[in-house]
PDB file of all heavy atoms in Angstrom:
ATOM      1  N   ASN P 130     -36.784  -7.942 -30.888  1.00 90.00           N
ATOM      2  CA  ASN P 130     -37.598  -7.349 -29.922  1.00 90.00           C
ATOM      3  C   ASN P 130     -37.062  -7.306 -28.469  1.00 90.00           C
ATOM      4  O   ASN P 130     -37.665  -6.791 -27.573  1.00 90.00           O
ATOM      5  CB  ASN P 130     -39.052  -7.847 -29.970  1.00 90.00           C
ATOM      6  CG  ASN P 130     -39.670  -7.545 -31.294  1.00 90.00           C
ATOM      7  OD1 ASN P 130     -39.586  -6.483 -31.818  1.00 90.00           O
ATOM      8  ND2 ASN P 130     -40.371  -8.529 -31.835  1.00 90.00           N
ATOM      9  N   ASP P 131     -35.967  -8.054 -28.238  1.00 93.00           N
ATOM     10  CA  ASP P 131     -35.316  -8.149 -26.939  1.00 93.00           C
ATOM     11  C   ASP P 131     -34.424  -6.895 -26.785  1.00 93.00           C
ATOM     12  O   ASP P 131     -33.314  -6.889 -27.182  1.00 93.00           O
ATOM     13  CB  ASP P 131     -34.519  -9.410 -26.805  1.00 93.00           C
ATOM     14  CG  ASP P 131     -35.448 -10.627 -26.623  1.00 93.00           C
ATOM     15  OD1 ASP P 131     -36.570 -10.440 -26.226  1.00 93.00           O
ATOM     16  OD2 ASP P 131     -34.951 -11.701 -26.835  1.00 93.00           O
ATOM     17  N   ILE P 132     -35.007  -5.813 -26.409  1.00 95.00           N
ATOM     18  CA  ILE P 132     -34.346  -4.491 -26.285  1.00 95.00           C
ATOM     19  C   ILE P 132     -33.926  -4.151 -24.915  1.00 95.00           C
ATOM     20  O   ILE P 132     -34.679  -4.192 -24.001  1.00 95.00           O
ATOM     21  CB  ILE P 132     -35.291  -3.397 -26.847  1.00 95.00           C
ATOM     22  CG1 ILE P 132     -35.738  -3.767 -28.334  1.00 95.00           C
ATOM     23  CG2 ILE P 132     -34.635  -2.044 -26.747  1.00 95.00           C
ATOM     24  CD1 ILE P 132     -34.573  -3.882 -29.295  1.00 95.00           C
ATOM     25  N   ASP P 133     -32.670  -3.733 -24.784  1.00 97.00           N
ATOM     26  CA  ASP P 133     -32.192  -3.191 -23.566  1.00 97.00           C
ATOM     27  C   ASP P 133     -31.054  -2.245 -23.844  1.00 97.00           C
ATOM     28  O   ASP P 133     -30.700  -2.103 -25.048  1.00 97.00           O
ATOM     29  CB  ASP P 133     -31.735  -4.267 -22.545  1.00 97.00           C
ATOM     30  CG  ASP P 133     -30.583  -5.089 -23.034  1.00 97.00           C
ATOM     31  OD1 ASP P 133     -30.005  -4.747 -24.115  1.00 97.00           O
ATOM     32  OD2 ASP P 133     -30.215  -6.091 -22.392  1.00 97.00           O
ATOM     33  N   GLU P 134     -30.477  -1.585 -22.888  1.00 98.00           N
ATOM     34  CA  GLU P 134     -29.448  -0.559 -23.173  1.00 98.00           C
ATOM     35  C   GLU P 134     -28.154  -1.184 -23.573  1.00 98.00           C
ATOM     36  O   GLU P 134     -27.402  -0.593 -24.285  1.00 98.00           O
ATOM     37  CB  GLU P 134     -29.285   0.327 -21.852  1.00 98.00           C
ATOM     38  CG  GLU P 134     -30.577   1.239 -21.559  1.00 98.00           C
ATOM     39  CD  GLU P 134     -30.996   2.094 -22.708  1.00 98.00           C
ATOM     40  OE1 GLU P 134     -30.117   2.437 -23.496  1.00 98.00           O
ATOM     41  OE2 GLU P 134     -32.084   2.486 -22.663  1.00 98.00           O
ATOM     42  N   ALA P 135     -27.902  -2.381 -23.122  1.00 98.00           N
ATOM     43  CA  ALA P 135     -26.681  -3.012 -23.607  1.00 98.00           C
ATOM     44  C   ALA P 135     -26.709  -3.309 -25.120  1.00 98.00           C
ATOM     45  O   ALA P 135     -25.774  -3.128 -25.844  1.00 98.00           O
ATOM     46  CB  ALA P 135     -26.473  -4.359 -22.822  1.00 98.00           C
ATOM     47  N   GLY P 136     -27.906  -3.776 -25.531  1.00 98.00           N
ATOM     48  CA  GLY P 136     -28.077  -4.000 -26.985  1.00 98.00           C
ATOM     49  C   GLY P 136     -28.057  -2.755 -27.806  1.00 98.00           C
ATOM     50  O   GLY P 136     -27.434  -2.732 -28.918  1.00 98.00           O
ATOM     51  N   ASP P 137     -28.623  -1.659 -27.346  1.00 98.00           N
ATOM     52  CA  ASP P 137     -28.560  -0.351 -28.023  1.00 98.00           C
ATOM     53  C   ASP P 137     -27.109   0.140 -28.178  1.00 98.00           C
ATOM     54  O   ASP P 137     -26.678   0.684 -29.169  1.00 98.00           O
ATOM     55  CB  ASP P 137     -29.409   0.659 -27.358  1.00 98.00           C
ATOM     56  CG  ASP P 137     -30.881   0.517 -27.638  1.00 98.00           C
ATOM     57  OD1 ASP P 137     -31.198  -0.361 -28.468  1.00 98.00           O
ATOM     58  OD2 ASP P 137     -31.720   1.347 -27.062  1.00 98.00           O
ATOM     59  N   THR P 138     -26.314  -0.145 -27.103  1.00 98.00           N
ATOM     60  CA  THR P 138     -24.882   0.300 -27.189  1.00 98.00           C
ATOM     61  C   THR P 138     -24.154  -0.569 -28.183  1.00 98.00           C
ATOM     62  O   THR P 138     -23.368  -0.046 -28.971  1.00 98.00           O
ATOM     63  CB  THR P 138     -24.252   0.084 -25.779  1.00 98.00           C
ATOM     64  OG1 THR P 138     -24.960   0.754 -24.784  1.00 98.00           O
ATOM     65  CG2 THR P 138     -22.788   0.637 -25.813  1.00 98.00           C
ATOM     66  N   TYR P 139     -24.360  -1.869 -28.180  1.00 98.00           N
ATOM     67  CA  TYR P 139     -23.757  -2.729 -29.158  1.00 98.00           C
ATOM     68  C   TYR P 139     -24.055  -2.248 -30.628  1.00 98.00           C
ATOM     69  O   TYR P 139     -23.143  -2.102 -31.449  1.00 98.00           O
ATOM     70  CB  TYR P 139     -24.225  -4.202 -28.922  1.00 98.00           C
ATOM     71  CG  TYR P 139     -23.451  -5.201 -29.756  1.00 98.00           C
ATOM     72  CD1 TYR P 139     -22.469  -5.972 -29.176  1.00 98.00           C
ATOM     73  CD2 TYR P 139     -23.673  -5.369 -31.121  1.00 98.00           C
ATOM     74  CE1 TYR P 139     -21.726  -6.964 -29.923  1.00 98.00           C
ATOM     75  CE2 TYR P 139     -22.957  -6.348 -31.856  1.00 98.00           C
ATOM     76  CZ  TYR P 139     -21.986  -7.078 -31.286  1.00 98.00           C
ATOM     77  OH  TYR P 139     -21.286  -7.969 -31.966  1.00 98.00           O
ATOM     78  N   ASP P 140     -25.336  -2.106 -30.873  1.00 98.00           N
ATOM     79  CA  ASP P 140     -25.726  -1.632 -32.216  1.00 98.00           C
ATOM     80  C   ASP P 140     -25.111  -0.324 -32.605  1.00 98.00           C
ATOM     81  O   ASP P 140     -24.691  -0.144 -33.748  1.00 98.00           O
ATOM     82  CB  ASP P 140     -27.268  -1.547 -32.354  1.00 98.00           C
ATOM     83  CG  ASP P 140     -27.919  -2.891 -32.152  1.00 98.00           C
ATOM     84  OD1 ASP P 140     -27.240  -4.009 -32.115  1.00 98.00           O
ATOM     85  OD2 ASP P 140     -29.167  -2.997 -32.005  1.00 98.00           O
ATOM     86  N   SER P 141     -24.996   0.646 -31.643  1.00 98.00           N
ATOM     87  CA  SER P 141     -24.490   1.961 -31.982  1.00 98.00           C
ATOM     88  C   SER P 141     -23.014   1.859 -32.272  1.00 98.00           C
ATOM     89  O   SER P 141     -22.472   2.427 -33.224  1.00 98.00           O
ATOM     90  CB  SER P 141     -24.681   2.877 -30.787  1.00 98.00           C
ATOM     91  OG  SER P 141     -26.057   3.007 -30.497  1.00 98.00           O
ATOM     92  N   VAL P 142     -22.193   1.099 -31.419  1.00 98.00           N
ATOM     93  CA  VAL P 142     -20.810   0.925 -31.676  1.00 98.00           C
ATOM     94  C   VAL P 142     -20.555   0.213 -33.030  1.00 98.00           C
ATOM     95  O   VAL P 142     -19.685   0.635 -33.752  1.00 98.00           O
ATOM     96  CB  VAL P 142     -20.158   0.116 -30.526  1.00 98.00           C
ATOM     97  CG1 VAL P 142     -18.679  -0.320 -30.833  1.00 98.00           C
ATOM     98  CG2 VAL P 142     -20.203   0.982 -29.263  1.00 98.00           C
TER      99      VAL P 142
END
Side-chain angles (χ1 to χ4, degrees):
N130 295 318
D131 287 339
I132 300 301
D133 63 8
E134 295 301 338
D137 282 357
T138 306
Y139 189 102
D140 295 349
S141 299
V142 170

